[in-house]
Amino acid sequence: MADLITLEYDGPVAILSNNRPEKHNAANDEMDAQLWERLAELHRRDDVRAVVWRGEGKSFSSGRDTTQLGVRTEDISNLDFIERGHAGTQQFFSMPAPILVALKGWVIGGSFERALLCDMRIAGESAKMVLPEVRHGVVPDSGGTARLFQMAGHGLVADLALTGRVMDAQEALRHGVVSRVVPDAQLDETCLAVAREIAAMPAFAVKMFRRTLARLANPVVQASIQEEAVSQVLTQASDDYAEMKAARTEQREPVYRRR
């Protein structure tokens, strides 16, 4: 099995890398499974004080691998499939060390949402963030709606989700979605330097601060993820979703009936 998610250690700093650069790190089932395995390993390491999550190649991640959209290789319901992914996602909330995400190039869909669940995001100048789900007849379902709402309010999350437009690094900085923007060539070095700085802080104080922050922020996001699972299943079973797919296949304008 290829290492689609690599995990290395630089003293007390763990470096988690999306490693499918030829596909702009588009996430398939195998890549997701490896991500959950690497996060589980980090939960077992009491010597890790900070984590950097980054991507090889030009992009952090272009989101879900489109060749696997709607494809099931096992006998499992849509709800079970989504909730299994959400079980992995819960590891972001329980991670014992802060996660810093290095965003560059395409940062799309569920991969963008997962980055939003982490502690900090630093962007390279090339970063382009997108929530394209509604355009494809489905909904964001990994907690990004709630987290963006917390960061920037109703207006921005509605704009991004309902139009599917691109938000660049400088706009993300203005909205507080990322905390810093640096040249791409300095992105990895900057994130590693910040991670080392955090790792050198008194460990118990870091733990207690993150505990306070998590109690403020995470309950609403976790509740939202549960609601999103049901919404996604209903959306995928809707007449409008079937009509969208039929219209695209038949190369015609869709006729939606809001059901």
Side-chain angles (χ1 to χ4, degrees):
M1 181 183 295
D3 285 331
L4 301 179
I5 300 288
T6 64
L7 180 56
E8 303 171 287
Y9 296 94
D10 177 47
V13 176
I15 304 169
L16 193 66
S17 299
N18 298 331
N19 189 33
R20 205 182 178 209
E22 72 283 1
K23 296 290 186 180
H24 285 268
N25 294 314
N28 58 17
D29 290 347
E30 182 180 353
M31 190 171 176
D32 277 354
Q34 290 187 25
L35 176 61
W36 309 143
E37 289 173 3
R38 304 298 185 264
L39 292 178
E41 176 179 334
L42 290 171
H43 275 74
R44 297 189 293 269
R45 294 283 300 247
D46 59 8
D47 58 332
V48 171
R49 295 287 180 260
V51 180
V52 173
W53 188 15
R54 56 179 298 280
E56 297 287 357
K58 295 180 178 180
S59 296
F60 173 72
S61 175
S62 58
R64 182 68 177 167
D65 187 335
T66 56
T67 65
Q68 289 194 341
L69 288 176
V71 176
R72 295 287 182 274
T73 57
E74 55 189 313
D75 185 15
I76 185 172
S77 72
N78 283 349
L79 181 60
D80 287 342
F81 179 80
I82 293 167
E83 289 190 332
R84 184 172 65 186
H86 285 175
T89 300
Q90 294 295 326
Q91 294 185 83
F92 289 112
F93 299 110
S94 57
M95 181 62 62
I99 306 178
L100 292 73
V101 191
L103 302 178
K104 63 181 177 180
W106 290 114
V107 185
I108 298 179
S111 296
F112 179 28
E113 294 188 74
R114 291 170 181 174
L116 289 168
L117 302 182
C118 297
D119 295 84
M120 292 174 59
R121 286 148 299 282
I122 297 176
E125 292 173 340
S126 68
K128 301 180 290 290
M129 290 151 255
V130 191
L131 288 176
E133 288 87 350
V134 174
R135 280 188 175 183
H136 298 289
V138 293
V139 298
D141 68 358
S142 297
T145 297
R147 186 66 94 209
L148 274 175
F149 183 87
Q150 291 174 329
M151 291 174 172
H154 182 285
L156 180 71
V157 68
D159 186 355
L160 294 180
L162 293 178
T163 69
R165 71 173 179 85
V166 173
M167 177 172 64
D168 66 20
Q170 289 298 332
E171 183 184 0
L173 180 64
R174 292 195 299 272
H175 289 300
V177 176
V178 301
S179 58
R180 311 182 193 192
V181 176
V182 299
D184 280 18
Q186 299 174 17
L187 180 60
D188 285 339
E189 177 186 342
T190 300
C191 287
L192 189 55
V194 174
R196 287 170 176 158
E197 184 177 357
I198 293 171
M201 296 288 182
F204 190 73
V206 171
K207 176 181 178 179
M208 288 297 100
F209 168 76
R210 293 182 68 241
R211 183 175 184 270
T212 300
L213 193 60
R215 285 177 177 269
L216 288 169
N218 291 347
V220 170
V221 180
Q222 290 175 290
S224 173
I225 288 175
Q226 292 179 331
E227 178 67 24
E228 286 168 346
V230 176
S231 295
Q232 192 72 287
V233 170
L234 292 173
T235 300
Q236 291 175 348
S238 69
D239 291 344
D240 276 1
Y241 184 64
E243 170 63 9
M244 182 205 70
K245 293 195 295 183
R248 288 183 177 180
T249 299
E250 298 164 12
Q251 298 184 334
R252 60 173 175 82
E253 288 295 318
V255 180
Y256 295 129
R257 304 175 67 186
R258 300 180 67 183
R259 65 186 189 188

